[in-house]
Amino acid sequence: MQLITIKNLFKTYRLGDVEVSALRGLSLSIEQGEFVALYGASGSGKTTLLNIIACIDAPSSGKVFYEQKQINYSQSKKLGQFRLNKIGFVFQSYNLVPVLNTYENIEYPLLLTAKSEEERKQLVENIIDQVGLTDVKGHKPRQLSGGQRQRVAIGRALVNKPKLVIADEPTANLDVKTSRRILELLTGLNEVENTTFLIATHDPLVKEYVGRSIMIRDGKIRTKEHV
């Protein structure tokens, strides 16, 4: 089943009197349960594409479908609920709340839902176990290693059981050994939970773990390769 379908997507930004084309007629389909990596140089359009799929930004033209339903980018309230319930985010800089511990950082997005305290506790405890953070669930971010912080970020992204997780350079600040552990964790979650992962990256190591790599250059898909 197609989870994401993108048709003839354009995105243009205006910088003063200059128009910059970030995406130029890009089309793409992603199946439920796929593990996909987007490659491309800085300015190629990777992050713009992620932001549009995540409903953080809107396209200039073109269509985006989630589970065969077109996304209406003019409905900001519905888009907020869509992001909360359907999409998880993992950022290069982790974006953890410094004053919250591991448990609280992972629980944080659930506080925006109608879930009861008991439901939240069960979801958080389950994901803490899955990402291997049981021993540090009371630790603040400053007490954690880079790999542990990224695991917290992954746990937070997955705690509400989204069908799609979007990750922007998730291994950029990690050494090779830690990167492999993070990628093995993502691969395992992809296989067990059938979660769809879409990763923007420069890291060639990622190709060893994903099911499909896509090259973006000048706002267009140039080549596809299966790994």
Side-chain angles (χ1 to χ4, degrees), residues 128-148:
I128 282 177
D129 180 61
Q130 281 186 285
V131 299
L133 291 170
T134 302
D135 292 341
V136 295
K137 66 180 181 180
H139 288 44
K140 302 285 180 63
R142 68 177 181 274
Q143 299 171 293
L144 303 174
S145 67
Q148 288 171 327

Side-chain angles (χ1 to χ4, degrees), residues 6 59 85 94 103 106 109 121 123 126 129 158 170 172 191 217:
I6 297 166
N85 295 312
Y94 316 130
Y103 183 101
I106 291 175
K121 181 178 180 181
L123 287 168
N126 285 345
D129 180 61
L158 289 163
E191 293 172 351
R217 187 179 297 119

Side-chain angles (χ1 to χ4, degrees), residues 152-180:
V152 177
I154 292 165
R156 182 183 57 192
L158 289 163
V159 71
N160 207 25
K161 296 188 177 295
K163 288 188 175 181
L164 173 65
V165 171
I166 290 174
D168 196 358
E169 301 286 358
T171 61
N173 295 323
L174 306 175
D175 59 52
V176 172
K177 185 177 180 180
T178 305
S179 293
R180 285 194 180 278

Side-chain angles (χ1 to χ4, degrees), residues 87-114:
I87 302 177
F89 303 90
V90 180
F91 302 96
Q92 177 180 345
S93 56
Y94 316 130
N95 283 14
L96 304 180
V97 182
V99 297
L100 300 183
N101 63 30
T102 294
Y103 183 101
E104 293 163 338
N105 264 288
I106 291 175
E107 182 190 32
Y108 188 76
L110 296 179
L111 299 177
L112 304 175
T113 71

Side-chain angles (χ1 to χ4, degrees), residues 39-80:
Y39 282 88
S42 297
S44 62
K46 300 191 310 298
T47 298
T48 299
L49 178 59
L50 291 188
N51 287 341
I52 289 173
I53 293 173
C55 301
I56 295 170
D57 200 356
S60 300
S61 64
K63 297 178 180 179
V64 180
F65 298 84
Y66 182 91
E67 293 185 325
Q68 302 177 349
K69 294 182 180 180
Q70 186 175 350
I71 296 174
N72 186 339
Y73 287 90
S74 66
Q75 298 179 328
S76 57
K77 186 175 181 179
K78 287 186 177 180
L79 291 179

Side-chain angles (χ1 to χ4, degrees), residues 33 91 117 201:
F91 302 96
E117 182 178 354
T201 185

